[in-house]
Amino acid sequence: MNVAEKQASLVPDHEKNDAVGRLPGVSTAILGLGNPFRGDDGAGCAVVDMLALTGELPENIHLFEDGTCELFDAILRNKYERVILIDAAEVNHQPGEWICLNADRLTWKPDDKDNSCDGHWLSLVNILALGHAIDALPRELLIFAVQPMSLEWTGNLSEPVREAVSEISECILREIREYS
């Protein structure tokens, strides 16, 4: 059971769902994707950790680290009005450079090379393509992608990606303040 489900189980049944099935007060999920033991692939998790340490997040912001199940739940169950994803990705930039994509401007095409049928192993691209196909994407979906320097087996981020983690965290905090 993930954090949102635990919180949902504490709400009396008659208060649980509004007209579109969302939990009251739960509007934003921030998901840090990646493996923190694969060098810069841990950038998403590092951003979530940094955001958690700020103490500045309102109660309607829910943080998740890694985990396809949380991503699948946040995207396809339509519990959140807004989802923010952070991941290391090949974006053809210099290491540590990052971009923010608003998903409503993207074209969702499944990755035909991903033959997995197990929901635990669906790729980000395929989860988003599925969400788009069944019209289950959140109202707003932001994707922060940072160019990794190294994906070697280490628990440390490279210096450029460590700087990007700080910048992305600040950008997300500004975004949350403006949205609130």
Side-chain angles (χ1 to χ4, degrees):
M1 182 180 295
N2 66 36
V3 175
E5 288 170 338
K6 287 178 188 172
Q7 290 168 340
S9 66
L10 300 175
V11 178
D13 285 340
H14 68 278
E15 294 178 11
K16 277 189 180 176
N17 296 319
D18 66 9
V20 292
R22 292 193 184 102
L23 299 172
V26 177
S27 62
T28 301
I30 300 175
L31 292 98
L33 305 176
N35 183 340
F37 301 110
R38 293 290 309 259
D40 292 339
D41 192 42
C45 296
V47 169
V48 167
D49 290 343
M50 187 171 276
L51 291 171
L53 291 173
T54 66
E56 295 183 39
L57 298 177
E59 287 183 18
N60 65 334
I61 307 290
H62 292 254
L63 300 174
F64 301 95
E65 279 188 10
D66 200 32
T68 304
C69 292
E70 286 84 4
L71 174 62
F72 197 83
D73 194 46
I75 298 293
L76 300 181
R77 287 206 180 170
N78 210 8
K79 286 185 179 179
Y80 302 97
E81 296 173 75
R82 181 173 196 215
V83 174
I84 300 172
L85 303 174
I86 309 101
D87 198 7
E90 180 58 52
V91 291
N92 296 319
H93 285 68
Q94 294 297 313
E97 290 183 350
W98 56 275
I99 58 174
C100 179
L101 305 168
N102 192 326
D104 66 352
R105 294 190 178 106
L106 300 176
T107 302
W108 301 111
K109 182 180 180 223
D111 179 0
D112 295 332
K113 293 178 223 158
D114 182 0
N115 295 324
S116 64
C117 296
D118 182 351
H120 294 286
W121 295 104
L122 282 175
S123 68
L124 172 61
V125 169
N126 283 343
I127 289 173
L128 295 174
L130 175 60
H132 177 72
I134 63 173
D135 198 26
L137 291 177
R139 187 169 50 88
E140 185 176 358
L141 174 62
L142 297 176
I143 302 170
F144 287 84
V146 61
Q147 177 68 48
M149 177 181 273
S150 171
L151 301 176
E152 297 295 317
W153 286 102
T154 175
N156 300 315
L157 299 173
S158 66
E159 184 59 34
V161 171
R162 202 171 20 257
E163 290 174 16
V165 163
S166 182
E167 293 170 8
I168 293 169
S169 298
E170 283 300 315
C171 184
I172 290 173
L173 285 172
R174 276 192 309 274
E175 184 75 23
I176 288 169
R177 287 183 204 116
E178 289 175 15
Y179 189 78
S180 295

